[in-house]
């Protein structure tokens, strides 16, 4: 059964989302899933082009390079995936090569119906003289020898795909025995390209490219190191001013290539969570940020979370996260404003006690007095079910909102902040913090940097504080 590109992309999307993929029939589920794995590998290496049916035909020299890779011990599946071809086709080429050598890889015939050719009458046919016949056969023999010599030298010279410069080297070796015009025809290179590489102009271009990459590296590396390796390519690109980009004459893709070539990538890591749930106090625990709405497309009801706000101090969220070192544990309790993701207040403690929560509230309320109508969200941790906490919020006219039990997505904005913080300054750096005091200083410095300098793509490349100040200016 033949599958189209749209169907393949749907299967890849479901596979990456770990959804169930139903095979359309015509083969066993195991066989179909093997095909899906192949599509995923090809898509990851070549993108959507690798899933096309009408792929460009590979040249004889490319087939020969693929055979060399197989002979050096590389798996056929790996070679096939890198070329965007099925492994069965590579196996066929390899068999043809073993049976007939280079000639076995040459196309025997063209696909499709042969074109209609006007039949010439026997009277119109030109009868060649013996001398002309010998001359024609000699020319064909010379071209056959040239093709074989060219491919042998090329195969000996390269192992992973010939470059134009390498082809030119082979042409120079063969031009003493064959006509340059014939060699260029076999190598599929134009005369102008050959002359360009002979004049060494490509080396000047390569030198200029290398110098420009070094200039780019200086700029991006300074940004990367200034932010302690926490920025990926998106934030680094946004951090470069327009004048510098215009001077360099480069875009985002060139920046990405330089970063990848030098192994500069944003910090990534896993997430660990402190659990504060200790039971239910029997009070009403409604989620004021959640509603059930009917989805017209799927024809069913769905839960929708409402984290969006139109200005600061409309919706806050809080939680507690744990940091573990050999010396002991440190607990962070922050308040995050859903408008700009800024940290309004926070407290660090060696124990997740209620005094920590009180200090955090006092700090927040000292900054903002008028908070009537504010929705203050949290999970169902014991701190947020404490009677003192409930009473203080009621006195301020603040509406309390709770996540559903065991549903971290209801408080995903706070979880996202903890993930960013730990990935960028804690995971992988635990050995740098000799004591809990060192760790506390590092967290305080990070939160200051996060609020004042860490740019966000969704906030037009502004830091939380810059975005917050902009909203106050617009109101005035």
């Amino acid at each position: 059964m033949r599958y189209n590109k749209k169907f393949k992309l749907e299967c890849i999307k479901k596979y990456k989302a770990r959804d169930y993929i139903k095979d359309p029939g015509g083969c066993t589920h195991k066989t179909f899933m093997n095909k899906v794995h192949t599509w995923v590998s090809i898509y990851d290496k070549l993108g959507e082009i690798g899933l096309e049916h009408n792929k460009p035909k590979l040249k004889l020299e490319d087939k020969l390079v693929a055979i060399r890779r197989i002979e050096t011990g590389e798996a056929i599946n790996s070679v096939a995936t890198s070329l965007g071809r099925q492994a069965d086709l590579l196996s066929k080429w390899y068999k043809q090569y073993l049976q007939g050598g280079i000639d076995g890889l040459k196309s025997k015939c063209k696909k499709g119906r042969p074109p209609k050719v006007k039949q010439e009458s026997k009277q119109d046919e030109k009868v060649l003289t013996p001398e002309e016949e010998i001359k024609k056969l000699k020319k064909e023999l010379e071209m056959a020898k040239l093709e074989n010599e060219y491919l042998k030298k090329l195969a000996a010279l390269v192992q992973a795909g010939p470059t134009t410069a390498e082809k030119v080297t082979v042409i120079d070796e063969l031009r003493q025995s064959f006509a340059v015009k014939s060699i260029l025809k076999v190598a599929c290179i134009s005369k102008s390209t050959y002359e360009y590489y002979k004049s060494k102009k490509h080396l000047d271009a390569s030198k200029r490219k290398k110098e420009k990459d070094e200039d780019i590296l200086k700029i991006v590396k300074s940004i990367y190191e200034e932010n302690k390796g926490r920025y990926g390519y998106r934030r680094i690109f946004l951090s470069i001013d327009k004048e510098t980009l215009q001077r360099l004459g480069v875009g985002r893709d060139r920046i990405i290539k330089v970063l990848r070539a030098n192994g500069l990538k944003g910090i990534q890591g896993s997430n660990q969570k402190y659990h504060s749930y200790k039971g239910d106090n029997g009070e009403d625990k409604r989620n004021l940020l959640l509603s059930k709405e009917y989805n017209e497309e799927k024809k069913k009801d769905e839960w929708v979370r409402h984290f969006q706000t139109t200005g600061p101090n409309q919706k806050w969220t809080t939680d507690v996260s744990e940091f573990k070192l050999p010396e002991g544990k440190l607990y962070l309790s922050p308040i995050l404003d859903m408008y700009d993701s800024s940290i309004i207040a926070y407290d660090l403690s060696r124990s997740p006690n209620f005094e920590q929560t009180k200090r955090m509230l006092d700090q927040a309320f000292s900054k903002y007095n008028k908070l009537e109508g504010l929705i203050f969200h949290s999970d169902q941790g014991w701190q947020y079910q404490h009677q003192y906490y409930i009473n203080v919020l009621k006195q301020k006219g603040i509406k309390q909102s709770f996540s559903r039990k065991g549903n971290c997505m209801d408080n995903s904005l706070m979880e996202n902040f903890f993930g960013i913080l730990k990935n960028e300054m804690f995971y992988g750096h635990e050995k740098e913090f000799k004591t809990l005091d060192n760790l506390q200083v590092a967290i305080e410095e990070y939160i200051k940097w996060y609020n004042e300098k860490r740019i966000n793509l969704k906030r037009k490349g502004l830091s939380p504080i810059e975005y917050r100040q902009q909203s106050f200016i617009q109101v005035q």
Side-chain angles (χ1 to χ4, degrees):
M1 186 174 180
R2 198 168 186 179
Y3 306 99
N4 59 33
K5 180 183 168 184
K6 185 180 178 183
F7 178 76
K8 290 178 183 178
L9 286 169
E10 285 176 3
C11 290
I12 291 167
K13 188 177 178 182
K14 286 181 180 178
Y15 179 84
K16 292 194 172 184
R18 297 190 176 184
D19 291 341
Y20 176 72
I21 304 172
K22 186 179 179 183
D23 61 274
C27 61
T28 63
H29 184 71
K30 185 178 178 181
T31 306
F32 176 71
M33 287 309 296
N34 286 339
K35 289 182 180 181
V36 173
H37 293 154
T38 305
W39 297 339
V40 170
S41 300
I42 291 172
Y43 178 79
D44 288 341
K45 289 199 175 183
L46 302 175
E48 292 187 16
I49 298 170
L51 303 175
E52 296 281 358
H53 278 304
N54 301 322
K55 300 183 188 75
K57 288 185 179 180
L58 291 179
K59 295 176 184 176
L60 183 59
E61 58 208 37
D62 295 325
K63 291 182 182 179
L64 196 60
V65 169
I67 298 298
R68 293 282 181 268
R69 288 169 65 185
I70 294 168
E71 286 182 335
T72 55
E74 191 172 348
I76 289 179
N77 283 335
S78 174
V79 179
T81 302
S82 67
L83 296 172
R85 301 296 193 276
Q86 294 291 336
D88 296 343
L89 184 61
L90 268 288
S91 300
K92 184 181 174 184
W93 291 348
Y94 191 50
K95 284 178 185 176
Q96 288 172 345
Y97 177 75
L98 292 175
Q99 291 170 3
I102 294 172
D103 291 332
L105 291 174
K106 293 179 182 177
S107 299
K108 297 289 187 295
C109 60
K110 292 183 179 179
K111 286 187 176 181
R113 184 181 296 172
K116 289 183 179 180
V117 180
K118 187 179 178 183
Q119 292 183 354
E120 295 180 357
S121 63
K122 289 184 180 180
Q123 295 175 353
D124 296 334
E125 286 181 9
K126 187 180 178 182
V127 180
L128 297 174
T129 62
E131 291 81 8
E132 288 174 334
E133 188 73 38
I134 291 168
K135 191 178 179 181
K136 182 184 175 185
L137 289 171
K138 279 184 177 179
K139 190 176 180 181
E140 288 175 357
L141 182 63
E142 188 183 357
M143 286 299 289
K145 282 182 181 178
L146 173 56
E147 284 182 14
N148 281 315
E149 285 296 320
Y150 174 75
L151 291 170
K152 280 179 187 176
K153 285 187 178 291
L154 198 64
L157 189 66
V158 296
Q159 290 293 326
T163 62
T164 306
E166 288 165 341
K167 288 181 180 180
V168 169
T169 305
V170 174
I171 293 168
D172 284 340
E173 290 178 18
L174 293 172
R175 67 180 296 176
Q176 296 174 1
S177 307
F178 302 96
V180 175
K181 188 176 180 182
S182 301
I183 306 171
L184 292 174
K185 188 177 179 182
V186 172
C188 300
I189 292 178
S190 66
K191 190 178 178 182
S192 59
T193 303
Y194 175 68
E195 294 296 339
Y196 176 79
Y197 276 82
K198 280 288 289 178
S199 63
K200 308 292 184 184
K201 288 182 180 177
H202 68 288
L203 296 177
D204 295 334
S206 178
K207 187 181 177 183
R208 288 196 299 272
K209 182 180 179 295
K210 190 177 179 181
E211 288 173 354
K212 184 171 278 190
D213 283 350
E214 287 173 358
D215 289 342
I216 295 168
L217 180 61
K218 284 179 186 175
I219 294 164
V220 297
K221 198 172 183 181
S222 65
I223 296 169
Y224 183 82
E225 290 174 350
E226 183 187 343
N227 294 285
K228 300 181 180 179
R230 295 163 185 161
Y231 275 11
Y233 73 87
R234 292 184 182 88
R235 288 190 174 86
I236 288 175
F237 182 71
L238 279 174
S239 300
I240 303 171
D241 57 86
K242 289 180 181 179
E243 290 179 5
T244 306
L245 286 173
Q246 286 173 358
R247 177 176 61 81
L248 293 170
V250 297
R252 192 180 73 165
D253 291 345
R254 185 73 174 273
I255 301 290
I256 293 169
K257 282 181 182 177
V258 173
L259 289 168
R260 284 179 180 168
N262 292 277
L264 302 177
K265 59 180 182 179
I267 295 169
Q268 297 175 340
S270 59
N271 186 27
Q272 299 175 10
K273 192 176 185 300
Y274 155 76
H275 299 282
S276 61
Y277 183 75
K278 301 293 181 185
D280 195 332
N281 66 353
E283 296 283 338
D284 181 26
K285 293 181 182 58
R286 282 181 298 167
N287 189 335
L288 303 179
L289 305 178
L290 192 71
S291 66
K292 190 175 267 192
E293 297 179 8
Y294 184 73
N295 189 317
E296 290 289 345
E297 267 185 48
K298 297 181 181 178
K299 305 294 181 184
K300 64 176 184 179
D301 289 332
E302 287 185 340
W303 288 107
V304 179
R305 299 178 184 87
H306 303 284
F307 294 143
Q308 300 82 9
T309 64
T310 56
N313 300 335
Q314 293 179 1
K315 294 174 185 177
W316 286 0
T317 182
T318 187
D319 201 353
V320 177
S321 190
E322 176 187 271
F323 296 79
K324 192 175 180 181
L325 289 180
E327 184 187 334
K329 296 177 182 178
L330 195 65
Y331 296 88
L332 170 65
S333 177
I335 295 174
L336 180 143
D337 192 323
M338 293 187 187
Y339 174 68
D340 49 27
S341 297
S342 63
I343 302 302
I344 301 298
Y346 69 92
D347 189 84
L348 287 158
S349 174
R350 306 289 172 95
S351 170
N353 51 46
F354 193 69
E355 289 302 315
Q356 178 185 35
T357 308
K358 286 173 73 176
R359 288 194 298 270
M360 175 193 72
L361 289 176
D362 292 342
Q363 191 184 137
F365 295 152
S366 66
K367 285 184 181 179
Y368 302 102
N369 293 320
K370 298 178 181 179
L371 295 170
E372 291 84 0
L374 165 72
I375 296 174
F376 202 168
H377 189 78
S378 67
D379 60 19
Q380 294 189 29
W382 65 268
Q383 301 98 322
Y384 317 118
Q385 297 187 53
H386 197 284
Q387 199 58 47
Y388 177 88
Y389 184 90
I390 294 168
N391 291 340
V392 167
L393 297 192
K394 281 182 180 177
Q395 289 170 11
K396 297 282 182 181
I398 297 171
K399 301 172 186 176
Q400 193 173 5
S401 172
F402 289 95
S403 298
R404 290 167 292 175
K405 184 182 172 183
N407 196 318
C408 62
M409 295 304 293
D410 285 356
N411 199 14
S412 55
L413 290 184
M414 195 76 255
E415 298 292 348
N416 182 56
F417 168 74
F418 287 143
I420 290 169
L421 183 148
K422 290 186 176 183
N423 289 339
E424 294 186 349
M425 62 76 57
F426 185 65
Y427 293 142
H429 300 275
E430 291 92 333
K431 291 181 181 179
E432 296 174 15
F433 308 116
K434 303 298 181 186
T435 64
L436 288 175
D437 290 332
N438 294 151
L439 177 59
Q440 182 165 342
V441 170
I443 293 172
E444 288 170 351
E445 287 177 354
Y446 178 87
I447 292 176
K448 188 175 187 299
W449 172 83
Y450 171 88
N451 272 341
E452 296 175 2
K453 292 187 177 181
R454 191 182 191 276
I455 59 176
N456 188 294
L457 305 177
K458 292 179 181 177
R459 291 191 294 265
K460 306 172 187 176
L462 300 174
S463 69
I465 294 298
E466 287 171 341
Y467 192 75
R468 193 177 189 84
Q469 289 171 346
Q470 190 182 69
S471 68
F472 285 129
I473 292 167
Q474 287 173 355
V475 170
Q476 291 172 359

